[in-house]
Amino acid sequence: MISYNGLLEKFKELLKNNALKFTKQRELILKFLYQNKGHYTPEDIYMLLKQQHPDVNIGIATVYRTLTLLEESHIVSSISFGIQGKKYELGLKKHHDHLICTQCGKIIEFYDEIIEERQEEIAKKFNFKMTGHTMKIEGICEACQKAESEA
Amino acid sequence: MISYNGLLEKFKELLKNNALKFTKQRELILKFLYQNKGHYTPEDIYMLLKQQHPDVNIGIATVYRTLTLLEESHIVSSISFGIQGKKYELGLKKHHDHLICTQCGKIIEFYDEIIEERQEEIAKKFNFKMTGHTMKIEGICEACQKAESEA
DNA sequence: CTGACTGCAAAATCTTTGCAAAGAC
DNA sequence: GTCTTTGCAAAGATTTTGCAGTCAG
């Protein structure tokens, strides 16, 4: 896993290459996603940052703009979780898919080599040049099943 | 594949069981999805229905309400296609996944036994009671690749 | 008749945009 | 200094809701 400093350098490099500027707000959002491994909506990030850094002024629009920038740069990735809305996570990890508990909202990541291979083959079969893929398994997690059976 | 009449009966039965009413608008939406195999946003359906049935008054709110009802009843299913928004399709077919061309928006359906099996296994591994799953492969379709290389 | 359904318009979300001031380089 | 970025508030886009009239059963 890349270190935060490594990530920061990468981000600064990217900004420089595109004549963009390194700002406190952009740094905070990047750092937040690095430190808080998980899946967040723009609103989540906005609220938590305001709370954790009352000294820094930050607007929701900046969060949206920065997330878009980070996503275009392939530093973060997003995924839509139905009712829970679109969520962002640091996208530097190895590619992975998600299990979502429809009851409590818990998200588990997994990686399966066989599925990855099949996806490649399917894309090939239809002459698609694959650029990405998402797979979500919805269900009830262990804890919620237990809670249910006890109720 | 179920016939339209069969589907209609199923729908009426369901309405009756829930003390709901069978209306012209609900019928039109169901028929539209049956006759037009494909993926549509609520807006698409609304516009096309207005066009095809200028005599019947129908509001966008009714389209939303009916699609929600049909989805809850597992007669239609929805999937979010990123920039193209949330789309609905008749959900009576065998389960299938989607290939999406990010260039032209074409959607191709596919079914892969091996992927299905792996999904079951993964759910089991994490002790999830699987209730559904979605898999989307994004890429550039054959036609768009050609158009690109010729440009 | 009774209660559900409908269209409409207003409201609620969620996301983007215009703009003047502030900040990075 | 110059040009990007920011926060704010307004504007958009999409979806939901309240309501009075309409319609199915």
Side-chain angles (χ1 to χ4, degrees), chain A residues 91-102:
Chain A
L92 298 167
K93 298 176 266 194
K94 189 170 170 188
H95 169 77
H96 59 265
D97 294 305
H98 298 91
L99 270 158
I100 304 120
C101 177
T102 47

Side-chain angles (χ1 to χ4, degrees), chain A residues 113-124:
Chain A
E113 190 60 53
I114 295 175
I115 288 182
E116 300 295 316
E117 276 168 24
R118 289 302 292 171
Q119 289 179 130
E120 299 273 2
E121 281 167 37
I122 289 160
K124 195 182 292 172

Side-chain angles (χ1 to χ4, degrees), chain A residues 25 78 87 112 120:
Chain A
Q25 287 84 348
S78 70
K87 296 189 172 185
D112 187 87
E120 299 273 2

Side-chain angles (χ1 to χ4, degrees), chain A residues 21-63:
Chain A
K21 303 190 174 188
F22 180 70
T23 66
K24 192 78 193 157
Q25 287 84 348
R26 284 175 176 168
E27 181 183 8
L28 279 181
I29 292 168
L30 181 68
K31 190 191 270 177
F32 176 87
L33 288 169
Y34 184 84
Q35 294 179 334
N36 302 273
K37 303 289 153 60
H39 304 77
Y40 303 92
T41 62
E43 185 73 17
D44 291 338
I45 297 170
Y46 171 66
M47 296 302 279
L48 289 166
L49 282 182
K50 285 206 100 160
Q51 200 176 302
Q52 291 167 19
H53 302 273
D55 51 314
V56 181
N57 206 359
I58 189 166
I60 186 79
T62 298
V63 176

